[in-house]
Amino acid sequence: MLNNSLTPKQLTMLCNDLAQLRLIADLTLAPKMPYFANKPYPIGRCREIRDEVFSLLQTQLPQTDKPGLCLLKKRINQGTDLKKAWGSLRDEYFQNALIFGPWYIDVANDTVNANKPRVEILPLATSKFTTIESFTQFIKIARPYWQVEIYKNDVCPALAPYMPLLCVGNNGSSWLAAANDDMLNVAINSNFEESKLILNSLPSAPDSITKRWKEVLLQFTHEYYLTAKGDPTEFCLLYSKNTTEPDLAQRDAAVIAYSSLPKSV
């Protein structure tokens, strides 16, 4: 059986070494992305920071002599997984973190409040970090955290089973949500029932928003997922009946179509 316990001294060593990696990550990232929504780095950059530190770990662990990283390497070699995770932190934020066995490792702990320590390590069981299980939970976090209004996606109804939400920011810009693997899986694993549920509970966006989308979508004359007309819930029913197994080719085609859209409309 794996011994995944860490003493306070070991946690401090690991935290210190990860904080040093975080400083290296900052030297790479800060010049490339100095602002996010008019807020200075590192605010809003938890995914980019997490990914950069994870990448640094892949290159540094094989040759490290740092005590905290040596401990990490030893536990990984003994079978403890170190993996990326995305989810909800206290249902207040979306958070990108690392999961190391029973430990929650946040190497971007200062991306909401820049005065907090860069790195935090907690027992996963008490961290209040959880996977997001529904679009209702997603909306509960997104509305105050992103400061958006959220409507049903009926501007691209063929995409709606995968991305049923249309987010509208304070400046009027809008985008579809949520095109990450976790939320796509919420849709797919429910056989699109979660998508249908949220689509039936949300209103359409204001006319000024839908008019802009119609104008933008005119340029995509040959892309089915962006031009198909109809009721988004009918597309949920269509996709759920197509197969007893997730249609990964259809999923990939929908994501590729989404990727061709502007970042916001």
Side-chain angles (χ1 to χ4, degrees):
M1 190 162 111
L2 292 174
N3 176 15
N4 281 319
S5 62
L6 294 171
T7 67
K9 182 179 179 181
Q10 288 173 326
L11 285 170
T12 298
M13 289 191 306
L14 181 55
C15 200
N16 288 343
D17 289 351
L18 288 172
Q20 288 186 341
L21 284 189
R22 167 61 197 280
L23 288 173
I24 297 170
D26 288 344
L27 291 173
T28 299
L29 296 175
K32 294 179 181 177
M33 43 190 70
Y35 293 95
F36 178 83
N38 297 320
K39 295 178 181 178
Y41 181 90
I43 300 300
R45 297 297 184 182
C46 65
R47 179 177 60 82
E48 293 88 349
I49 290 169
R50 188 277 313 272
D51 287 353
E52 183 69 18
V53 171
F54 189 80
S55 178
L56 287 168
L57 282 168
Q58 309 315 299
T59 58
Q60 296 213 9
L61 281 181
Q63 58 197 21
T64 188
D65 59 359
K66 297 181 184 300
L69 296 188
C70 283
L71 172 66
L72 191 67
K73 179 171 71 171
K74 179 181 178 182
R75 296 292 177 86
I76 291 171
N77 289 339
Q78 291 173 341
T80 301
D81 284 337
L82 176 68
K83 59 187 179 182
K84 297 180 186 179
W86 175 86
S88 160
L89 189 61
R90 300 185 299 273
D91 271 3
E92 295 176 14
Y93 315 124
F94 299 120
Q95 187 66 13
N96 291 273
L98 298 173
I99 304 299
F100 178 54
W103 297 94
Y104 165 84
I105 300 178
D106 184 357
V107 294
N109 188 49
D110 56 340
T111 54
V112 174
N113 179 350
N115 295 317
K116 294 175 73 173
R118 287 181 174 87
V119 177
E120 181 177 60
I121 304 176
L122 297 169
L124 182 59
T126 59
S127 67
K128 297 185 179 179
F129 177 81
T130 61
T131 57
I132 295 176
E133 304 290 346
S134 68
F135 289 106
T136 300
Q137 183 184 9
F138 180 92
I139 289 172
K140 179 183 176 183
I141 302 165
R143 275 183 171 142
Y145 184 39
W146 289 349
Q147 297 183 0
V148 293
E149 289 297 329
I150 299 182
Y151 303 94
K152 72 168 73 176
N153 170 18
D154 53 9
V155 294
C156 295
L159 276 185
Y162 295 100
M163 299 158 221
L165 309 179
L166 177 63
C167 300
V168 181
N170 289 334
N171 63 356
S173 66
S174 58
W175 61 94
L176 303 183
N180 62 48
D181 287 343
D182 299 83
M183 295 311 298
L184 289 170
N185 286 337
V186 167
I188 294 166
N189 293 341
S190 71
N191 204 21
F192 304 105
E193 284 298 317
E194 279 291 331
S195 305
K196 189 167 63 172
L197 182 70
I198 205 68
L199 286 163
N200 283 329
S201 72
L202 291 172
S204 297
D207 289 344
S208 59
I209 301 295
T210 56
K211 181 181 177 183
R212 280 214 308 275
W213 274 89
K214 287 177 182 177
E215 291 169 355
V216 167
L217 293 170
L218 288 174
Q219 63 187 286
F220 298 100
T221 53
H222 301 296
E223 178 49 75
Y224 170 78
Y225 289 98
L226 303 183
T227 59
K229 308 295 184 187
D231 184 329
T233 59
E234 291 298 321
F235 281 98
C236 293
L237 292 170
L238 175 64
Y239 296 174
S240 68
K241 290 176 181 175
N242 274 351
T243 178
T244 55
E245 296 292 329
D247 187 336
L248 298 182
Q250 178 179 269
R251 172 198 185 277
D252 291 347
V255 171
I256 290 168
Y258 164 82
S259 299
S260 67
L261 289 169
K263 288 190 175 180
S264 63
V265 171

